[in-house]
Amino acid sequence: MSENLDDMYREIILDHYKAPRGKKPLEDKNVTSDGHNPSCGDELRMELKVDNKNNIADVHVNCKGCAISVASGSMLAEFIKGKSLEEVKAISEQIKKMLKGEESTITEDIGDLDSLKGVRQFPVRIKCALLAWVTLIEGVDKFEGNGTDSSSTTSTE
Amino acid sequence: MSENLDDMYREIILDHYKAPRGKKPLEDKNVTSDGHNPSCGDELRMELKVDNKNNIADVHVNCKGCAISVASGSMLAEFIKGKSLEEVKAISEQIKKMLKGEESTITEDIGDLDSLKGVRQFPVRIKCALLAWVTLIEGVDKFEGNGTDSSSTTSTE
Amino acid sequence: MNSKTTEKDIVIDIQKIKNDFPILKRQIRDNKLVYLDSGASTQKPIEVINAHTEYFNQINSNIHRGLHTLAEEATNAYEKTRTHIAKFIGGVKTCEVIFTSGTTESINMVAYTWGEANISEGDEIVLTDMEHHANLVPWVMLAKRKNAIIKRIPITDDGRLDLDDIDSIITEKTKLVAVTHMSNVLGTLNPIKQLAEIAHKNGALILADGAQSAPHMPVDVLDMDVDFFAFSAHKMLGPTGVGVLYGKENILEKMPPFNMGGEMISEVSFDRITWAELPHKFEAGTPNIAGVVTFDTALTYLENIGMENIHAYETKLTAYTIDKLLQIDGLKIQGPNNSINRGGAISFTDKNLHPHDISTFLDSKGIAIRAGHHCAQTLMKRMGTIATARASLYIYNDEADIDALYDALIAMRKYFGHE
Amino acid sequence: MNSKTTEKDIVIDIQKIKNDFPILKRQIRDNKLVYLDSGASTQKPIEVINAHTEYFNQINSNIHRGLHTLAEEATNAYEKTRTHIAKFIGGVKTCEVIFTSGTTESINMVAYTWGEANISEGDEIVLTDMEHHANLVPWVMLAKRKNAIIKRIPITDDGRLDLDDIDSIITEKTKLVAVTHMSNVLGTLNPIKQLAEIAHKNGALILADGAQSAPHMPVDVLDMDVDFFAFSAHKMLGPTGVGVLYGKENILEKMPPFNMGGEMISEVSFDRITWAELPHKFEAGTPNIAGVVTFDTALTYLENIGMENIHAYETKLTAYTIDKLLQIDGLKIQGPNNSINRGGAISFTDKNLHPHDISTFLDSKGIAIRAGHHCAQTLMKRMGTIATARASLYIYNDEADIDALYDALIAMRKYFGHE
Ligand SMILES: Cc1ncc(COP(=O)(O)O)c(C=O)c1O
Ligand SMILES: Cc1ncc(COP(=O)(O)O)c(C=O)c1O
């Protein structure tokens, strides 16, 4: 079943993995959030610039990890740029549900993100795909908690 | 293999079991030794009267236990009466060897005691047959250690 | 599991069941094996034996962390048993089900972790006069280490817990009540739910030793409201080397881990170590994977018969057994003389014969029973005996087995001259 | 076991061996299984699988204390394995061989009993920078409880112990040296005999973790003069849930027991408990009887090939594997780059790919390797990596398996665009 493999490593995922978006560190950030999967060794740093309308003006993701965690972080960077915190939180919860195989109510076009579905066939890899999203939620929560520059560390395990 | 069973419970053993010798407690003893098998619950009290020529003038054995331990104690009582401590120690060591299946060098006629051999086919029961002999050795050792009235507790486990 | 079964509902196809157990065809000293030692360990049906072979032929691999197909299949099979057990004991969370090597390790785990952390000088631990050493020695030794106090619920002469003075035994000083659900010697079933209520009212926890109950009846740890429940797979058609500790999540969460090593950590450095989530925190190293996987099949076998059915059938056979044994002169039942609120572990003594002689004689007729103190020396003392003979029943036993026991006991008394 | 084997003596009938392992015929994702994860757990030959079935079909019973035929046969079979192991590890006394549930429990047992009794504030425990969590976490936590100090023997960049400063590491303050005989990540074989001498000269004990060595080479604990030696059956063709702790008799004698319950006591009252003799003092409750009995067959299978032969064969195959891997651009061997003084656990990293991606890709070709930190997070840190991919060899592997690995790794680099 090499199909299976291609299910997970879809072309679009390999594309993000080979050329991750959001590579450049931000000069002007107000959220820093670190994520970490001890059992994989995956490490992810996320920086957000939230503007005064609570929209995400810019994103930086730096992930040292497997193709799945890198691609998931890259897609996230691409997808959330320009969205409001409200929207971002909603979609993050939906992606988490989608990855865990729970019922999700995604109706909008999530573009590349849809390709993460293939990971569900590889249960041990789900937490790799989750890492960026959980790190994002944690960062936004912290931001909303104090409204100013915030940093946090989280894990999907 | 009901033969097996009769191998262990030879007629002579059942005979000793049903009517144990040396039942009467001694009035005039100079050795008391208690033996005990915790896992079986067997308990044995032995009393010896050693005369001044170091011969065993009289023996009392009281065993609360299974047919094998009772019969073994009864045979012991019958066999050692009148023998010297020297002889008794030697034969005890030989019986221990015989029961454990080691090479023994018994040449004399040991009479009923020979019937204990059948127990070897039932390894878990060997310690039942041993109890009286180990208690005897312990008692004699103590006696020789202090030369006067002595008591001790021992176990075959 | 049927919710309620009356006697006429009992549908046990005993011939089919006997056929499922290959060992029951074995000849022992020219007689067909009559196995009445299930309280020590049960026999295994062909389904369980095959499941074990199948595991090694098809799936065998270490679990967790592995990314290859075998590792994933093995992990799924292993976790499937956990889910099954969670349902089997009343519908608990899977994270509350910890695999151990047996009841003994389950109870020791609680003593070493919860016990070390929560028992202090002067605290009281309540046991009963009918505990197996597995649910006694760990607590007595813990009490010694901590200068804590052991109290005991006494038993009546017919082997029931005597709860008359329970309010002076379980008090506000009590930190733990550790009690067997069913006695392995007397067969007595204890009122765990009632004891749990009393324990909790006093702020204490309760641990029930389910080694003898889980195999024989429906068990609902939520309904009984116990904090810990322990049992062994090998006493319920499953493999050796597998046990379970159920614990309430909020209690397990706060407990330090027991054995340490792989799988039970999250992050390790020489300065700082963090633990994995439940239940993995308590499962260090490579577990008995083949055993756990196989246990699933044993549970399914039991459920296909129905735990209510099993309990009802065994209750009937227990009544039959007690009735037969009481017909033999000089024999005494050690434990309840009737089949009410008791299981099929039936101890007896002969006024003339040591239990070891009984067992050896019965073996010559192909009948396997157990004789000795049954790892319950303090109970033996209470009963005023040094050992008992014990016949213990399971679903593959029938009246013919009991008749064989009866006949052999009659022959035995003749053999030893005690007619 | 042959006393000395030169390369030309190696007689391994690899086709026969492969045929003995039913699982090796399995198809994984349309490819024949290539199993290179024996360091995690090995596959089982048909003899071992059959022995297990046979045990359940013919003998199954609880052991010790039982007076019936099955109990006696089961006890004999169980003790036969103990005698076998005593010989297998160099001819020790049977009372020095303790059955556990695995290496992890073996080591924890020493930490909880010997460690609790003998380690005090300021004492030093010496580990190495290449320990598995099973031989690290118990000691770090013991040191925490006791305010003792952990010291580490460093390793060189190619994964050998660096003994240059050993005299300042193992000193008179050292109470225990706990070191792996063979690293599960690097494959390195450590000079246990030399370390034992240094430890003993300083009045310390030494524990060797033999989980990765006992399966692959002749082991003589007397010659190495170790005080404790631990290993697992499941890594040497045997069942899961069985391990061994060897300990010197005079040390074991003085150690308090670990788990408490049936079989490990002599006499029990609420006031006084006395322990059973060795080795039973350390074997509480019903052990993994079927597993222990089956382990005997696994040992015989290994001995029929010959441990010297196995070691020589694996050394050759390790050299072949290293050679092949080094031909792949961007791949780095983590550990010794040659087959001298090392076993067949071969870790590697790819300069572009995470080990998890390597493992998932290889699985799509039917090749099972392990990827991750291998329960050795502190070693990962030392190697400057977060995880490695590990191929680990055993007697059923051959050059064709390695060629398949090589081809798949080439295909992988292409798939991920790293040609
Ligand atoms: C070096 C080493 N030590 C200890 C262990 C733990 O063995 P087990 O999981 O069988 O307890 C392993 C197994 O992974 C190992 O490789
Ligand atoms: C009531 C009870 N508790 C505990 C145990 C110990 O179980 P295991 O030996 O499987 O650990 C037994 C088994 O004999 C038992 O009957």
Side-chain angles (χ1 to χ4, degrees), chain C residues 256-416:
Chain C
F258 180 42
N259 286 328
M260 310 191 193
E263 304 306 336
M264 54 71 72
I265 52 83
S266 171
E267 281 185 85
V268 173
S269 73
F270 286 96
D271 307 317
R272 212 177 89 91
I273 296 173
T274 56
W275 312 125
E277 299 284 294
L278 289 179
H280 308 290
K281 181 168 84 173
F282 294 104
E283 294 180 8
T286 306
N288 187 349
I289 307 169
V292 166
V293 169
T294 309
F295 190 23
D296 186 55
T297 307
L299 293 172
T300 302
Y301 188 95
L302 290 173
E303 287 168 332
N304 284 344
I305 303 176
M307 296 309 293
E308 284 280 0
N309 265 333
I310 290 171
H311 186 51
Y313 177 77
E314 288 181 20
T315 302
K316 244 182 86 183
L317 193 56
T318 299
Y320 183 83
T321 308
I322 290 174
D323 189 52
K324 278 291 217 183
L325 291 179
L326 288 177
Q327 288 170 31
I328 302 173
D329 209 42
L331 233 62
K332 183 172 187 297
I333 304 274
Q334 301 282 356
N337 249 331
N338 54 54
S339 65
I340 299 161
N341 246 332
R342 64 120 73 219
I346 304 156
S347 273
F348 57 94
T349 45
D350 181 291
K351 81 170 186 286
N352 296 301
L353 277 168
H354 189 283
H356 284 181
D357 294 315
I358 299 177
S359 177
T360 299
F361 184 89
L362 292 178
D363 185 54
S364 75
K365 305 289 186 196
I367 302 168
I369 65 151
R370 192 136 297 230
H373 56 60
H374 313 287
C375 301
Q377 290 185 2
T378 57
L379 172 59
M380 292 298 119
K381 221 164 281 172
R382 167 63 184 82
M383 305 301 286
T385 180
I386 48 175
T388 75
R390 180 189 70 184
S392 53
L393 315 174
Y394 212 17
I395 39 167
Y396 37 66
N397 293 123
D398 59 8
E399 295 185 358
D401 294 338
I402 304 308
D403 293 343
L405 172 67
Y406 174 86
D407 293 344
L409 287 171
I410 297 292
M412 170 189 79
R413 307 203 89 237
K414 192 165 161 199
Y415 184 87
F416 286 105

Side-chain angles (χ1 to χ4, degrees), chain A residues 1-2 4-6 8-9 14 17-18 38-42 64-68 122 125 128, chain D residues 29-30 352-354 356-358 360-361 363-365 372-373 377 386-387 414-418:
Chain A
M1 295 200 272
S2 246
N4 246 345
L5 191 73
D6 295 335
M8 179 156 83
Y9 297 119
L14 289 179
Y17 162 63
K18 289 173 198 168
S39 78
C40 306
D42 295 340
K64 283 188 206 139
C66 67
I68 302 303
F122 297 78
R125 305 299 295 276
C128 308
Chain D
R29 303 182 190 271
D30 285 342
N352 297 301
L353 277 168
H354 189 284
H356 284 182
D357 294 315
I358 299 177
T360 300
F361 184 88
D363 185 55
S364 76
K365 304 290 184 195
H373 56 60
Q377 290 185 3
I386 47 174
K414 190 165 164 199
Y415 184 88
F416 287 105
H418 297 300

